[in-house]
Amino acid sequence: MAATLAAPGTSSEPGTDGVPNADDTLDLYILCADPDLSPASAVALTLRAVGGLTTKQIAAAYMVPEPTMAQRISRAKATIAGARLNRPGDLSSVLTTLYLVFNEGHSGDVDLVAEAIRLTRTLTSMIDSAEVDGLLALMLLHHARRDARFAPDGRLFALADQDRTLWDRRLIVEGIDLLQAALGRDELGQYQAQAAIAALHADAQNVEDTDWVQIVQWYDELLSLRDTPIVRLNRAVAVGEADGPAAGLTELRGLDEGLPRYFAVEAHLRERAGEPQAAADLYARAAERAGSLAERDHLNRQAARIRPRRR
């Protein structure tokens, strides 16, 4: 049964999973998780009405066309029009919303990232949940790498190319401590599994020290909790590192080429397999579908770096 959050402004007896005394913004997140809405609609409405994201940004997060998302948000508004928004909301919808806001902010807007972390910290102080703690740990571990993701001129650095001395060790230690405590409760959820993967990356002194075998194992755990094409795509990268590029390419088979980063992942695996021409072409195709200018430029540089020179 999904956990619920008490409606803002209500009290909660000790030991329940209601959230008393939430701040105003978190109140609105909880209110938008109305039980008459599907989780997807509740999240979309909250992102638009409270998170301040555009319909285009939300559509990109859900990997659906913008008109489809606009219709979904309109239907959600119509569903709760005139209703009293004082019923318990769904915790998973609130966590999903916070995570999506964090991800959108992580792509460039640091203020949005900070707000998502602040609200999740507030939630951890108000509800006893290993999964809420896991989400905060995940955010902290990702945010710890913020100073290493871009060069002063705006160039994007992939995880393998980042200067790890720039990572915020204080945030990493806090995130790992939170995660270990959450995992110790034996209530595994998707955000704890994702945080475990992030922690293994954070724990490696350099990319060569990354424990890819254990990362694959955590992706298997994540798949048992949330089997999505994106999780399988990311797992293919890990398998390619743990068992070789041929194994990673095998994992790619059956996945939709329309997935974000599909061509970038295939390009990386083809390059490691010793196929520079194919990899260069795939990096160029990935650049055409990049979600940001920095990502597009990075992928074009990757293509130029390995493209065989013409004689």
Side-chain angles (χ1 to χ4, degrees), residues 263-264 267 276-290 295-296 298-304 306-307:
F263 290 133
Q277 182 61 65
D281 292 343
L282 286 162
Y283 277 129
R285 293 182 69 182
E288 293 174 357
R289 302 194 326 195
E295 183 184 3
R296 186 194 69 186
H298 169 72
L299 291 167
N300 279 328
R301 284 195 303 273
Q302 293 290 83
I306 63 171
R307 193 180 299 279

Side-chain angles (χ1 to χ4, degrees), residues 166-187:
L166 298 178
W167 289 2
D168 189 327
R169 303 308 304 181
R170 178 184 59 83
L171 290 181
I172 289 173
V173 169
E174 182 184 1
I176 290 177
D177 286 347
L178 272 168
L179 173 63
Q180 288 177 334
L183 292 175
R185 298 172 61 171
D186 198 22
E187 300 170 1

Side-chain angles (χ1 to χ4, degrees), residues 148-153 155-163 298 301:
R149 295 185 70 238
F150 293 94
D153 62 3
R155 284 180 298 130
L156 175 67
F157 288 123
L159 177 61
D161 301 322
Q162 289 176 11
D163 180 354
H298 169 72
R301 284 195 303 273

Side-chain angles (χ1 to χ4, degrees), residues 57-232:
Q57 288 171 316
I58 301 168
Y62 273 92
M63 296 180 291
V64 300
E66 186 175 352
T68 300
M69 182 54 66
Q71 292 176 358
R72 182 180 298 177
I73 293 172
S74 295
R75 286 196 298 268
K77 290 178 180 178
T79 298
I80 64 173
R84 287 176 56 83
L85 295 180
N86 60 359
R87 293 173 294 174
D90 176 61
L91 175 60
S92 65
S93 292
V94 176
L95 295 185
T96 300
T97 302
L98 289 168
Y99 185 46
L100 286 174
V101 170
F102 174 84
N103 277 343
E104 187 62 37
H106 194 66
S107 66
D109 188 342
V110 176
D111 288 338
L112 197 56
V113 166
E115 178 67 359
I117 292 175
R118 184 187 71 81
L119 291 172
T120 307
R121 283 193 188 278
T122 301
L123 197 56
T124 61
S125 70
M126 295 177 173
I127 184 169
D128 184 21
S129 165
E131 201 45 350
V132 176
D133 292 346
L135 176 58
L136 179 57
L138 176 61
M139 289 180 175
L140 295 175
L141 289 165
H142 279 310
H143 195 43
R145 302 198 297 260
R146 67 192 182 279
D147 291 338
R149 295 185 70 238
F150 293 94
D153 62 3
R155 284 180 298 130
L156 175 67
F157 288 123
L159 177 61
D161 301 322
Q162 289 176 11
D163 180 354
R164 300 188 179 209
T165 65
L166 298 178
W167 289 2
D168 189 327
R169 303 308 304 181
R170 178 184 59 83
L171 290 181
I172 289 173
V173 169
E174 182 184 1
I176 290 177
D177 286 347
L178 272 168
L179 173 63
Q180 288 177 334
L183 292 175
R185 298 172 61 171
D186 198 22
E187 300 170 1
L188 185 63
Q190 62 165 313
Y191 295 115
Q192 294 168 70
Q194 290 184 64
I197 293 168
L200 286 166
H201 284 297
D203 195 45
Q205 295 299 309
N206 51 64
V207 68
E208 292 77 18
D209 292 338
T210 306
D211 189 343
W212 288 107
V213 172
Q214 195 172 168
I215 287 175
V216 171
Q217 292 171 349
W218 274 109
Y219 270 118
D220 290 339
E221 292 283 358
L222 183 55
L223 280 173
S224 71
L225 297 162
R226 183 174 174 77
D227 189 342
T228 71
I230 291 296
V231 173
R232 289 191 174 274

Side-chain angles (χ1 to χ4, degrees), residues 241-253:
E241 297 293 340
D243 300 328
L249 289 166
T250 298
E251 293 294 322
L252 274 186
R253 293 172 189 161

